[in-house]
Each structure stands twice: as structure tokens, then as C-alpha cells.
Amino acid sequence: MLRIRSGQALNFELKMKKLLDLIRLNRARKQGRLVRHYFLASVILISGGLFTSGLLEVYFVYQESWEHLGRVQKEIASATAFKIEQYVEEIERTMRSATKTREIVRDGLSPDYKWELRRLLVNSPSIAEAVAFDATGAKHAEAWRVRPVRRQNKWRSSSQAALEKAKEGKSYFGPVYFAEGTGPYMTIAVPIARFAGEFIGILLAEVDLKYVGQVLSSARVGKAGQAYLVTSSGDLIAHPDLSLVLQKRNLARLEQVEAAFSGAARPNVLVTQNMQGEKVFTSFALIPSLSWAVLAEQPIEEVYAPLYASMLRTSGLLLIGFAVALLATLLVRRRVVRPLESLRQGVERIREGDLSARLDVKTGDEIEILADEFNDMAAHLREAYTGLERKVAERTQALTIANEKLEKASKHKSQFLANVNHELRTPVSAIIGYARLVLRATEGQIAPLQRENLQDLLQNAERLLHLIDSLLDFAKIEAGRMDVRVEPVRIDALIDGATSTIEPLLNDGNVRLIREIAPGIPALSTDREKLKQIVLNLLDNAVKFTERGQIRIVATQQNGSLKLVVADTGIGIREEDLKQIFEEFHRGDLPGIKQYRGTGLGLAIVKRFVTLLGGDIAVESELGKGSSFTVVLPLDVKQSMSE
Ligand code: ADP
């Protein structure tokens, strides 16, 4: 297994993590979330579609069967009404033909007409009794089946209305009545005329309406439905169940009967109660010539039956839909989720640094392509990181060798510095010592020129020693071998010492050195030699670059620190040099200064010493007007270091 450790590996790891997070979005923290999503989506889509189409089907079936049944039932009612009308008209026609006999034309009405009436009874089984009157209302002939239906005196009232109609040549249809102990009857009367327009009497027949019931029975209303006949006053005059008719039921209060005769806009169907109090689906049709209505009805359960069947069918489909959704989900799980899961595991292994991870997905679709690309990517990564590791190892080895060389060089440098210290300082110190000795011993014995030369020799030797000291100091600082030796230091005494060293170098009477030491500055706790070097270097520079005017050294106490300012009225520093003057070996471009002595190390040493003592240095300068160096140092080095 290959382990990744480099910075690039970290980058790669982050990318892999993102990819992993993406996959985790699908799989998420909870196992099988994707499956649930798919499942829910399939179930919602499939069952939602089924449910909606089921609802629509139920609705349309309801609408259609309602309208269809309404139409069919209305037609049944109308057809039955038509048949009944035809039946009654047939009786009337038969009666009318019975009035057109040869005897009537020849003799008019006579008692012999009874033979014709008997024939009428034979021809029309529903006529129970037939009577012939003349125009004055006198009875001429009569015939009956079993016995007279009405008593003689009652004939008068109905025959009077019949006479009126007959005189106009019209037929008369009397109201329905119930003869004692029998079913309903109706009186029909037709005029008797010898010739057209010559009215000689009427033929009156009592028609037994139970035969109308037979017409009704032939009407089929659904499976359990039926049709019946009522008069405008609500009397039930025909019903497949004759016993109901014999009970002389009046149905005027039934909603459907009211609706049939109300004359208002009539709907095809009504859902209402029938005479037995059951909920029924009712249609009706009027027979206007008789003021009767045929009502067709069937139980409401029968109407709703196709609706229930459709709902049952829809529920079945819904169940099948659920099963299909479940199967689809399982299929999706097999085909999508499992390969995705193995993809996720592969990515996770790579994220953990196992670049040998490979996926084995054989779905034959985009996921397999993805897995193949993943495997390619892992192979490339493995190659790339093997190369990377090799390069890192090579570079590390090269660096180790270079480090060893550097260490050796550093040792040589230290050795060299130690040698320089000894080999350079000793002879130069000896020259200085001897020059001073000779100067003192030859006082007044040598010519002034010789003495001047000797003094020059001494000065140059001293500068050389100073240069060597500076170089050594700097080398020590660079090597980190400069220690801080803390001791109590009185700043006024230190400044006094430094100024007395510097004063001989001042440009005679042209430059004044001013000391301003604020009273009450406590003794510092710092490295005396380094602080002295700082002050000396700054003063030395001020002297070097100031021809006339003054040099001020100011010491004050500020916020628990010592503030030292060395300001001069010298040549000043160019702005572009200001940023670099604290860098080692930097020397300003000084065309006006003739005898310029310097190494470019003075300020670099100052800067490093100030830093060593826990302080800070800043410079301000204006070309031609002067410069001002400000050093801020802690009163106690150790205390400042520990803070
Ligand atoms: P050097 O030994 O050359 O004086 P320093 O590090 O002490 O080296 O100074 C670097 C440069 O900074 C000098 O060469 C000079 O150009 C500039 N400099 C330093 N102090 C002053 C000053 N008081 N007035 C003007 N220029 C200064």
C-alpha cells in the first residue's frame, strides 16, 4: 500500500474529500437514503398517476352511467307512456268502428245495436261494459261482460259530459274510478253519427285498466326496477304489482309525481324515495291526452353498482402500481445504489491513501464507465505519486549532502574567524603599542614631520583594529554567538565616556557637541559594551557627516523605556538610501565628502545590537539639513525578554 505524505497529497486529499462529500450527498449519513428517495419517488409517481387516473375514471364512469341510465330510463318511461296511449287510442278506435255499422246508417239507434256492442266486448277484452245512448240521453242498447260496472243512475253524470264532447264529434275520456271491490276503470265515450256530422247518440264504454298494467309489466327498468302509472291527482292506476293498485294508493305527495305534473322544467332523473320509502332513481313521461304519467324507477344501489365496480378496479390497479413501484425500487437499488456504494468505498480508500484501490462494477451503463474512469484515475495517481516519492527521496538526499557541505564550510569559517582574530589583531595591536611607545619616547627628539608621520601610522593602525573589531563583531552576530551580558549601567556615565572619546574627532570649533540627559533616569539593566557601541557608532557617524553646526545626544525616559536621540546638522541621507542604511556593507553615495572612512557595517551592527537588547531604532533625515537617529531600549533587558 502506498502512503501519501507530501503537501500536494494534502491538496489531493481535500479534492477527494469533496468528491466523497458529493457522493455522500446521495448516500448521506443515513444508510439507504437514496433507496428511500427512489422508492418514494417511484411510489409517488406511479401511485399518484394511478390514483389520479383512477379518480378520473370513477368520476367519468359516474357521470356517464348517470347520464346513460337517466336517458335509458327516460326513454323507457316515454316508450311505455306511448304504448299506453296507443292502447287507449286502440280501444277508442275499436269503439269508433263499432259506431259505423250498416244498421246504424240504415235504421239509426235501435235495441238491436246490443249485438254490435257484444261484438265490441269480444274484440276489446278491456271493455267491461258498453252502452249506447241517443242524442237525448235515452239508453238504446247495452252489453256487459259479467255484470254492470256502474248503477244506472250514476251513468247520467259522466254521460252528460260525454254527450257534450260527442256533439262536437270528439271522444270523451272520463276520470279513473274504482268500482266496488275491483280495480280501476275509466269511461270512454265516442259519438255515434249516421252520416258525417249527423250526431244521433254516443257509445259509452267502461274500460278495465288492469289491462294497462299488463302493458306496464312489459317495460323492463334495469334489473330490479319497474314502471307504474298515476293520474294527475296522484292515484296509482297501474302497477306490475296489482295489489298496490287495489289498495287505491294516492302518490300525490311523492316528489317524482309532483315533479311530473308541476309543468316546471323537468330533469331526466330524480333521486328520491318511492312509495315503499326506498331510495330510487326515477324518470317519468306524461301522457298529456289522458293527464297520466308513467314513472320508471330502479333502486339506487343498482345505479351505483358500476361505480363500485370501477372503484374496485381502480383499487386493484393501485395495488399493482404499488407492487411495480416496489419492484422498480429494488431494481434501482441493484443497478444504481450498490455500484454507487462501491464507488464511494473506492473513493474513501483513496482518500485514506490507498492508491491501489480499484472498483469492480459491471452494470454495463454509465456507472460502469464512471468506475472504469475512476480506476484509470487511481492508476494515474499511483504512478504520479510513485514518481513524486522518488523525486522527494532524490531531493532529500541532495539536500542532505548540501547540508553536510554547508556544515563543513561553517566549521571552516569559524576556524578562519578564530585565526583572523588571533593573526590580525595581534600584529595590529603590536603596531599600535609600538607606535605609541615611539611617539612618547621620541618626544622633542624628532622633526615635526617625522612625528606627524608617526601619528598618521598610529591613527591608521587604530582604524584597522576598529575595522577588524567590527568585522569580528558582525561575524559573531551572524553566527548567533553574541551573548548579552546584563549589568547595571548608568546612562549619564556611559554617554560621558562616549562623548569624551568622540570629542577629539570633532571638526575643531565648527561643530558643537551637546549632551541633554534628563534627570532621574534609573540605572539600566543591560549590556554595557553593546550600548556603548551603539552610542559610539551613532556619534561617530554624526561626526563623520557633519562639517558645521551641532551634534545633539538626548537621553530621556519614556513609558518605561530609555529613548536616545542622536541628531546632527550634517549632510543628511537621500530618501532612497534611508531604507537600506541598516543593511550590512551599505554605504551612501557621498560625493561631497573627501576623506570618508567607513565600512558600511556601523549601522548594521547598531541595528542588530538594538534588537539584541530588545529595542528598536528609527531614522529621519532631510538631505542637506541633517539626520536624527532614535533608539528606544527597555530599561531592563531580561524583564523585556520574559514579557
Ligand atoms: P560607514 O562605516 O560607512 O559609516 P554605516 O553603517 O555607519 O557605515 O553607515 C552607512 C551609511 O549611512 C553611510 O555610508 C552614510 O551614507 C549613511 N549615514 C550614516 N549615518 C549618517 C549621518 N549621521 N549623516 C549622514 N549619513 C549617514
Side-chain angles (χ1 to χ4, degrees), residues 165-419:
K165 283 256 183 189
K167 278 176 189 165
E168 294 166 23
K170 291 180 181 167
S171 301
Y172 166 80
F173 298 94
V176 176
Y177 64 89
F178 286 82
E180 275 167 36
T182 64
Y185 284 85
M186 185 182 78
T187 307
I188 299 178
V190 294
I192 303 172
R194 279 182 77 181
F195 307 105
E198 193 192 326
F199 169 71
I200 58 164
I202 58 165
L203 169 60
L204 205 135
E206 299 304 325
V207 178
D208 188 346
L209 292 180
K210 77 170 179 264
Y211 292 93
V212 176
Q214 285 168 5
V215 177
L216 279 178
S217 303
S218 66
R220 295 242 58 83
V221 187
K223 279 185 196 138
Q226 55 204 359
Y228 54 93
L229 190 65
V230 290
T231 63
S232 58
S233 54
D235 290 329
L236 179 69
I237 52 173
H239 194 286
D241 182 357
L242 193 62
S243 66
L244 290 172
V245 179
L246 293 176
Q247 285 166 19
K248 296 183 190 172
R249 292 226 178 176
N250 186 286
L251 310 178
R253 297 178 78 176
L254 284 185
E255 192 189 338
Q256 55 270 48
V257 176
E258 271 175 21
F261 293 106
S262 72
R266 293 158 187 152
N268 268 356
V269 285
L270 281 175
V271 175
T272 172
Q273 286 191 336
N274 67 4
M275 64 185 114
Q276 286 93 356
E278 296 155 352
K279 212 167 180 194
V280 285
F281 185 76
T282 313
S283 304
F284 47 79
L286 278 180
I287 307 173
S289 56
L290 299 168
S291 288
W292 293 350
V294 173
L295 289 112
E297 66 183 30
Q298 62 176 314
I300 199 76
E301 297 78 32
E302 202 178 315
V303 180
Y304 284 134
L307 203 68
Y308 293 143
S310 157
M311 280 164 84
L312 210 67
R313 218 170 32 241
T314 309
S315 313
L317 279 175
L318 215 62
L319 270 178
I320 294 171
F322 275 124
V324 169
L326 201 72
L327 279 175
T329 308
L330 292 176
L331 199 75
V332 164
R333 187 185 151 81
R334 252 175 63 119
R335 295 298 300 264
V336 179
V337 181
R338 277 199 203 146
L340 271 183
E341 172 61 15
S342 89
L343 196 66
R344 185 197 68 78
Q345 281 170 358
V347 172
E348 198 156 296
R349 278 176 67 191
I350 291 229
R351 189 178 69 89
E352 281 163 4
D354 179 7
L355 291 184
S356 62
R358 296 289 180 273
L359 299 179
D360 183 24
V361 177
K362 294 277 172 265
T363 52
D365 53 20
E366 285 85 348
I367 297 181
E368 187 179 331
I369 298 173
L370 187 66
D372 288 347
E373 280 175 5
F374 174 87
N375 286 341
D376 284 354
M377 182 196 75
H380 278 126
L381 274 176
R382 194 187 163 101
E383 259 173 49
Y385 279 94
T386 314
L388 202 71
E389 289 266 293
R390 201 183 54 244
K391 273 188 194 152
V392 168
E394 282 169 10
R395 298 275 152 82
T396 313
Q397 203 184 3
L399 272 176
T400 316
I401 294 168
N403 264 349
E404 282 168 4
K405 279 184 186 164
L406 271 176
E407 254 173 47
K408 252 188 209 166
S410 177
K411 264 187 196 161
H412 289 156
K413 194 179 112 189
S414 301
Q415 191 63 47
F416 170 75
L417 281 175
N419 292 347

Side-chain angles (χ1 to χ4, degrees), residues 568-574 578 620-628:
D568 62 54
T569 53
I571 60 169
I573 305 164
R574 291 187 308 169
L578 271 178
E620 284 172 27
S621 183
E622 204 176 326
L623 206 59
K625 292 202 170 161
S627 314
S628 168

Side-chain angles (χ1 to χ4, degrees), residues 537-538 541-542 544-546 568 571-573 581 583 586-590 596-604 627 629:
N537 282 12
L538 290 177
N541 278 351
K544 271 195 291 188
F545 300 111
T546 309
D568 62 54
I571 60 169
I573 305 164
I581 54 171
E583 288 172 15
H586 176 82
R587 289 175 56 179
D589 182 21
L590 306 159
Y596 171 53
R597 51 190 173 86
T599 56
L601 276 175
L603 283 181
S627 314
F629 289 82

Side-chain angles (χ1 to χ4, degrees), residues 468-482:
I468 290 167
D469 282 346
S470 295
L471 272 171
L472 283 173
D473 275 351
F474 193 74
K476 270 191 192 168
I477 295 167
E478 284 295 276
R481 295 216 307 261
M482 191 58 86

Side-chain angles (χ1 to χ4, degrees), residues 507-512 547-550:
N507 192 2
D508 299 333
N510 291 331
V511 182
R512 266 193 327 135
E547 299 255 289
R548 63 178 58 80
Q550 60 181 35

